[in-house]
Amino acid sequence: MTEYPTSQEGPQPVASGGGTDDAGHGKAPIVAAEAVRTHAQNTAGDPDGARTPGRSAGLPRPRGGSAGKGGGSGTAGGARAALDGTSAVSGAGTVGAGSAGPGGGTADVTAARREGDRLRFVGAATRRIARGIDLDEIVLGLCRATVPTFSDAILVYLRDPLPVGDERPVGPVVLRLRRTDRLRPLDDLTGGEFSGTAGSGGELDFSRLPLVGPQGDLPASELCEIRPGGPLAEVLRGVRPVFGSSVAAKDALSELLGGDHPVPRGQRAILAPLRGRRRVIGAAVFLRTPERPAFETNDLLVAAQLATHTALGIDKAVLYGREAYIADELQRTMLPDSLPQPTGVRLASRYLPAAETARVGGDWYDAIPLPGSRVALVVGDVMGHSMTSAAIMGQLRTTAQTLAQLDLPPAEVLHHLDEQAQRLGSDRMATCLYAVYDPVSHRITIANAGHPPPVLLHLGGRAEVLRVPPGAPIGVGGVDFEAVELDAPAGATLLLYTDGLVESRLRDVWTGIEQLRERLATTAQLTGVDHPPPLEALCDDVLDMLGPGDRDDDIALLAARFDGIAPSDVAYWFLDPEETAPGRARRFARRALARWGLEELQDSLELLVSEVVTNAVRYAERPVTLRLLRTDVLRCEVGDDSPQLPRQRRARDTDEGGRGLFLVNRMARRWGATRLSSGKVVWFELTLPRGESG
């Protein structure tokens, strides 16, 4: 007779004094172990197994004694029931009571009670399985719900890899042992009184089953390749659970468990295929020891219910995991892999997804180098949490990068982003803040589209929330954006962020902004007045202000430390577009190098400046600009009013020109050309001699 607990939540833990064994089950307290020994001694000569004071109530007779009319379990099985703390219906007592009445009415009541216990067990087990979200939780729920209530051990095999959706396997079907679970051997708990009972009679030795998982002694590396047309394939194709003693299942279990694992005799094993929505995705093997009643026919229905709920849960978990992976990868790939290293500013960034149930968002940040050693700082937030929001974020970020390369003013960039959002759809809304920092003038120009204002941390430790016109979100349409120009002193730090950092269910946005300002000021005071806090550590400290209930939204954070370029490291000239311009440019360059002590670069700089200025004068109609910047490199910028970008080409032997950019490409550390609204800028960089710095 199969015993089921009357509790609706499966096995209950012991009352007190117990620990946890290797498999994660409740270990019997010392009192329970003593009760097992006392019961075994007191009932050795008592064929009736009468309950007397000092004995453990409800324990069955020892193995080898009278089993009663119902063939109840022996002492080892009763000890397991006592040690596990389960509330079970005693086999001998139940059937004995059922045969007391001449009309069999009590037997009907007992049978109904047993069926009710069975249904309650199935309901509790399926609820426990359904509580899992990911694959491991679902498999663990199946193991914990069935051991020891339904079986003494369980092995769960899953396909490797697990199919997703309508994917068709291209190779052989392989099952991998995902997890095993079993009770500890009784002699480990009772000091050896029941030693040797497990696995007796040539049956399966449960102590040899590997434990898989963080507490296991063997890794989950046992594989089984299903042979087409073999016995295991036939059982799995039949979908229905079968007893291990059946003709079809004997060879199937041998194929699944391997030759090193003997197949248990009798109805002490159930092989249950795990079938998802479209195909079999694995198998579960339920095992019972000889000290426990064998499985009954109705237990096949229980195994079928457990296998069905487990398989469907695994199917959904795999689909959910794939969707979450795709969404997370989509979000990550649309954010910059690394930040640039523009002249005169240091950058650091952070991105945190929201809770596990809403990982995907539309927050983004970016730093884009601009002509003239400037840099554009962008942070934005697309409304919503879905892959659609992430896709819109990627489109807006790409549009912002394109507009930045055109060197448009910040307000004009937001205007074009607003138009792009309207083209994407009527309900595509986003907030954005776009700032341009000029390290030469130590100024920053900011335009805002409904985004939280930035915070500027000064060198002395004062944190200031910048007064920037809020503007309307991107996607509203028909709204003008206003830009403001502010001082950006050297040593100051600008913090751009999304609303997930300062707004949550527990606080409004302005309260969060004030907390952020206070946090920055407190952090700056720890490093002293003359030393700004390290940029990376500052970002980590800002994120530490988040509490457990503050992760309602994803967070993008961009911090910029303004170093600037000193006026003494800048040389600037205007050159009329005349034939004498290249010669004047060479003279200006020699003077600047002499002032900076960089005479070693004179020959290289004169040659490259002459080539670039000559090309600019050829097409320019207005004065050409020449600027030299000394930082960690020597940077030369030549600007003119012609929008046509120079293109490097291979000159023929008979050509008189066309070799200027070839020389620039071979001699310069880096070079490039950027189109402006008023023309273009061609620039190149030379490496400073050793020991020189800006």
Side-chain angles (χ1 to χ4, degrees):
M1 178 185 304
T2 304
E3 301 174 358
Y4 293 93
T6 57
S7 171
Q8 297 187 10
E9 292 298 334
Q12 301 298 321
V14 294
S16 61
T20 302
D21 64 6
D22 294 338
H25 300 289
K27 184 187 293 185
I30 299 177
V31 177
E34 289 296 333
V36 173
R37 296 189 182 94
T38 304
H39 180 80
Q41 296 170 0
N42 294 340
T43 58
D46 184 5
D48 297 328
R51 298 179 182 176
T52 60
R55 298 183 181 180
S56 178
L59 286 176
R61 299 181 180 86
R63 184 175 179 86
S66 176
K69 298 181 180 180
S73 60
T75 304
R80 180 175 295 103
L83 296 178
D84 294 334
T86 57
S87 175
V89 181
S90 175
T94 303
V95 176
S99 30
T106 307
D108 296 338
V109 173
T110 303
R113 184 182 299 112
R114 289 173 52 202
E115 290 303 316
D117 291 343
R118 193 193 309 272
L119 292 176
R120 282 190 291 271
F121 164 74
V122 172
T126 54
R127 285 195 301 272
R128 186 164 191 173
I129 295 171
R131 281 200 296 262
I133 297 179
D134 59 20
L135 179 62
D136 292 331
E137 289 180 348
I138 294 172
V139 174
L140 179 61
L142 171 65
C143 295
R144 290 294 183 261
T146 55
V147 177
T149 309
F150 180 71
S151 61
D152 295 319
I154 184 174
L155 299 92
V156 181
Y157 287 83
L158 297 180
R159 288 179 59 168
D160 185 32
L162 279 167
V164 180
D166 295 328
E167 290 183 358
R168 296 288 182 180
V170 295
V173 179
V174 177
L175 296 183
R176 178 183 293 273
L177 183 61
R178 185 75 183 195
R179 187 177 183 89
T180 66
D181 207 351
R182 61 173 171 82
L183 289 176
R184 296 186 62 177
L186 288 178
D187 54 326
D188 290 349
L189 299 177
T190 60
E193 291 192 28
F194 301 100
S195 178
T197 57
S200 60
E203 298 206 11
L204 184 61
D205 185 2
F206 284 75
S207 63
R208 296 175 58 190
L209 289 179
L211 285 175
V212 180
Q215 301 165 333
D217 51 9
L218 288 178
S221 59
E222 298 187 7
L223 300 177
C224 172
E225 181 177 335
I226 301 179
R227 301 192 305 268
L232 182 58
E234 293 298 325
V235 172
L236 296 181
R237 186 179 295 112
V239 179
R240 298 178 181 275
V242 294
F243 288 121
S245 59
S246 62
V247 177
K250 285 183 179 179
D251 296 335
L253 279 176
S254 298
E255 181 181 349
L256 182 63
L257 301 179
D260 296 337
H261 295 276
V263 179
R265 301 173 181 175
Q267 296 184 174
R268 302 191 176 277
I270 292 180
L271 176 58
L274 301 178
R275 179 175 179 82
R277 294 183 301 167
R278 292 178 176 85
R279 62 182 65 87
V280 174
I281 59 176
V285 181
F286 304 95
L287 301 169
R288 283 186 179 177
T289 59
E291 289 72 36
R292 188 170 182 174
F295 288 111
E296 300 176 352
T297 304
N298 288 340
D299 292 329
L300 295 178
L301 301 178
V302 175
Q305 287 287 330
L306 299 177
T308 299
H309 283 273
T310 302
L312 292 178
I314 291 174
D315 237 6
K316 293 178 181 178
V318 171
L319 290 174
Y320 172 78
R322 174 62 64 89
E323 181 179 354
Y325 171 79
I326 293 174
D328 190 61
E329 284 298 305
L330 177 64
Q331 173 84 11
R332 295 286 182 179
T333 54
M334 289 185 178
L335 294 174
D337 294 332
S338 60
L339 293 174
Q341 299 177 354
T343 303
V345 61
R346 286 172 287 171
L347 302 173
S349 63
R350 295 290 187 274
Y351 174 78
L352 289 181
E356 292 294 331
T357 55
R359 292 182 60 89
V360 185
D363 291 15
W364 90 91
Y365 62 88
D366 215 339
I368 309 168
L370 299 178
S373 299
R374 296 170 300 152
V375 59
L377 307 174
V378 191
V379 64
D381 182 5
V382 177
M383 298 182 183
H385 296 88
S386 63
M387 284 192 290
T388 301
S389 301
I392 295 174
M393 177 270 287
Q395 292 175 301
L396 293 180
R397 177 173 177 251
T398 302
T399 303
Q401 289 179 329
T402 304
L403 295 172
Q405 294 301 324
L406 298 178
D407 199 22
L408 298 178
E412 195 70 17
V413 171
L414 294 184
H415 174 73
H416 288 292
L417 284 176
D418 180 53
E419 292 180 340
Q420 175 67 8
Q422 293 180 66
R423 285 191 289 267
L424 295 176
S426 58
D427 57 345
R428 306 311 187 201
M429 305 281 288
T431 62
C432 182
L433 192 143
Y434 188 93
V436 175
Y437 170 66
D438 189 342
V440 176
S441 64
H442 295 269
R443 303 281 288 179
I444 186 169
T445 306
I446 306 176
N448 191 8
H451 204 77
V455 180
L456 184 65
L457 178 63
H458 294 269
L459 184 59
R462 180 173 63 92
E464 174 189 7
V465 180
L466 298 182
R467 297 183 178 180
V468 181
I474 291 173
V476 174
V479 179
D480 292 331
F481 300 97
E482 181 181 356
V484 294
E485 188 174 351
L486 305 170
D487 290 329
T493 304
L494 184 70
L495 197 70
L496 308 180
Y497 53 91
T498 54
D499 58 356
L501 180 65
V502 295
E503 185 180 20
S504 69
R505 292 170 294 178
L506 305 179
R507 60 182 177 181
D508 61 86
V509 61
W510 289 108
T511 301
I513 293 175
E514 180 61 22
Q515 292 178 358
L516 173 61
R517 188 194 66 79
E518 295 176 354
R519 184 67 174 240
L520 291 174
T522 302
T523 303
Q525 292 174 1
L526 298 177
T527 58
V529 178
D530 300 330
H531 302 281
L535 207 56
E536 296 290 341
L538 180 65
C539 292
D540 293 334
D541 190 70
V542 166
L543 295 179
D544 286 342
M545 66 178 283
L546 296 172
D550 294 338
R551 292 292 300 279
D552 301 330
D553 197 359
D554 49 343
I555 299 171
L557 179 66
L558 179 63
R561 172 72 45 76
F562 300 142
D563 294 332
I565 301 176
S568 58
D569 292 329
V570 181
Y572 195 88
W573 302 276
F574 287 95
L575 304 172
D576 292 329
E578 301 173 350
E579 294 181 357
T580 59
R584 296 177 59 196
R586 290 193 294 269
R587 290 196 300 271
F588 292 149
R590 284 197 302 269
R591 294 174 186 174
L593 292 181
R595 186 170 73 251
W596 293 332
L598 299 176
E599 289 85 355
E600 296 182 30
L601 300 178
Q602 179 175 322
D603 294 339
S604 300
L605 181 62
E606 284 190 20
L607 177 59
L608 298 185
V609 164
S610 179
E611 293 293 340
V612 176
V613 171
T614 299
N615 188 72
V617 169
R618 181 179 302 175
Y619 301 100
E621 297 181 357
R622 298 179 182 178
V624 175
T625 61
L626 171 63
R627 185 165 73 170
L628 297 179
L629 302 173
R630 183 186 66 160
T631 56
D632 54 341
V633 296
L634 181 65
R635 182 183 177 96
C636 176
E637 299 174 350
V638 178
D640 61 76
D641 60 348
S642 174
Q644 182 178 358
L645 296 180
R647 179 172 56 88
Q648 181 182 354
R649 62 184 179 87
R650 180 178 296 276
R652 294 173 295 182
D653 295 339
T654 57
D655 292 342
E656 296 183 0
R659 297 176 178 85
L661 290 181
F662 177 77
L663 293 175
V664 173
N665 184 62
R666 293 297 299 269
M667 299 179 63
R669 177 176 177 266
R670 291 193 311 158
W671 77 279
T674 305
R675 182 179 287 110
L676 306 177
S677 57
S678 59
K680 69 175 180 294
V681 169
V682 180
W683 57 271
F684 63 86
E685 294 176 352
L686 295 176
T687 303
L688 296 180
R690 290 186 177 182
E692 297 291 341
S693 61

